[in-house]
Amino acid sequence: MQLTRPPSPHLRPFLRLLWASAPEGTPDTRTGAREHVLPTGGMHLVFRLSGPPLRLFDDTRDLRGHTVGHAIVGGARAAFYLRDVSVATRSVGAQLHPGAARLLLGAPEDALGGRHTPLDALWGERQTADALEQSHASSNDPARQLDVFEALLTRRLAAATLPRTSPRGLHPAVAASLGQMTRDTPASIATLVAHSGYSHRRFIALFRAAVGLAPKEYARVMRFDRVLALAADDPARAWADIALAAGYSDQAHLSREFSALAGLSPQAWRQTGAASPRHVPAVGAAGQIPSRR
């Protein structure tokens, strides 16, 4: 079961979405089960309220992995990651807007991008433990979990110093560029740089600091996002048609990019029949996806 809702108005400039999830009935144990988590270009804050801490794997050959913790910040990524899903867990979390990390977490996006960071490295052990304890007290009621979690972030924001020139924590040039990059026909990076009024190097630095990815990486993920949306809307649609609609030069171009970002080919992704387009079960021995020929 998963419950999602938009944040309260005062948090909407900083949070995109709040969610709480819980397994149905008694959680099954699936030894060795793993999942490909596909990139969104955004940042996530997650509290695990049951089960083991988050365990990640470097690649499909990594059999041991490494643990991150029960309170985790997932930075913006430009490629998939592998996680252990052998035990279903209760969790509550939020998707952050670009620019919110410095205010809510105490670190800029570029310091957190491309990796998972234990929250206690940012908030400190005591504050993180207190936040987890408060969330645990409501762990049997997903709606209440969201209320508690939102209250925690509200207090965190109230204690932050909002910059006068950019109260959302997002540079105006970056904010304008993000709007243009999510269109069906996005502007080129060169056009965004020209419109920003900054040099190419300065614009890249501003963008990376606010988003956690360079503009080219972020544009790549947004184009991939359009592919997933088109494929999910029409599971029978030909990949060649999707490639052209999403802005790729041809199907081969889409296939190369899809494999690089998702860790599997478009057709392998489609054949998994995953309920969520970005959470794809790894199959085969030790949770590995069979290699493509």
Side-chain angles (χ1 to χ4, degrees):
M1 178 190 68
Q2 180 152 317
L3 176 65
T4 62
R5 76 180 190 206
S8 298
H10 67 281
L11 284 175
R12 288 178 190 172
F14 310 98
L15 303 181
R16 188 188 310 275
L17 185 72
L18 295 166
W19 57 266
S21 64
E24 300 283 357
T26 302
D28 294 329
T29 298
R30 299 176 295 151
T31 303
R34 303 185 193 181
E35 180 179 77
H36 278 216
V37 183
L38 278 51
T40 66
M43 179 174 289
H44 305 258
L45 171 63
V46 180
F47 287 0
R48 283 195 163 202
L49 304 179
S50 70
L54 176 67
R55 177 178 290 274
L56 303 177
F57 302 90
D58 293 335
D59 52 42
T60 55
R61 296 166 295 181
D62 180 5
L63 301 181
R64 298 185 63 181
H66 63 279
T67 59
V68 181
H70 285 92
I72 314 109
V73 176
R77 286 177 175 263
F80 78 98
Y81 65 88
L82 274 171
R83 68 172 183 175
D84 179 7
V85 290
S86 58
V87 179
T89 63
R90 292 180 177 272
S91 301
V92 62
Q95 298 177 12
L96 277 61
H97 283 302
R102 189 184 296 273
L103 300 174
L104 291 173
L105 304 175
E109 272 81 353
D110 57 348
L112 304 171
R115 60 193 180 97
H116 286 74
T117 302
L119 184 61
D120 57 17
L122 305 173
W123 283 8
E125 292 185 6
R126 181 172 181 177
Q127 288 192 39
T128 301
D130 288 346
L132 279 170
E133 184 178 355
Q134 293 176 50
S135 299
H136 274 291
S138 59
S139 62
N140 291 325
D141 181 352
R144 176 62 180 153
Q145 285 175 15
L146 292 180
D147 290 339
V148 170
F149 189 65
E150 189 172 39
L152 286 168
L153 297 181
T154 296
R155 290 193 295 272
R156 186 77 186 183
L157 180 62
T161 301
L162 301 181
R164 294 181 180 180
T165 57
S166 180
R168 287 181 55 189
L170 189 61
H171 193 284
V174 177
S177 299
L178 287 170
Q180 297 182 58
M181 294 174 80
T182 55
R183 296 176 180 174
D184 290 339
T185 306
S188 67
I189 304 301
T191 299
L192 297 176
V193 171
H195 287 172
S196 75
Y198 292 93
S199 69
H200 186 271
R201 178 175 295 182
R202 178 58 176 159
F203 176 78
I204 300 300
L206 288 171
F207 194 98
R208 189 189 296 275
V211 178
L213 297 173
K216 187 175 181 180
E217 292 176 311
Y218 186 78
R220 190 183 184 198
V221 176
M222 290 302 98
R223 184 169 57 182
F224 176 68
D225 183 69
R226 290 192 289 276
V227 168
L228 295 183
L230 291 168
D233 286 344
D234 184 359
R237 188 170 183 178
W239 287 110
D241 291 342
I242 292 175
L244 295 178
Y248 294 86
S249 57
D250 53 28
Q251 183 176 344
H253 183 201
L254 181 151
S255 293
R256 290 193 300 271
E257 286 288 281
F258 199 108
S259 296
L261 270 66
L264 67 167
S265 70
Q267 194 57 25
W269 171 85
R270 181 171 272 173
Q271 288 173 349
T272 64
S276 170
R278 282 196 173 82
H279 295 265
V280 183
V283 297
Q288 297 184 22
I289 292 178
S291 60
R292 301 184 305 280
R293 298 183 183 278

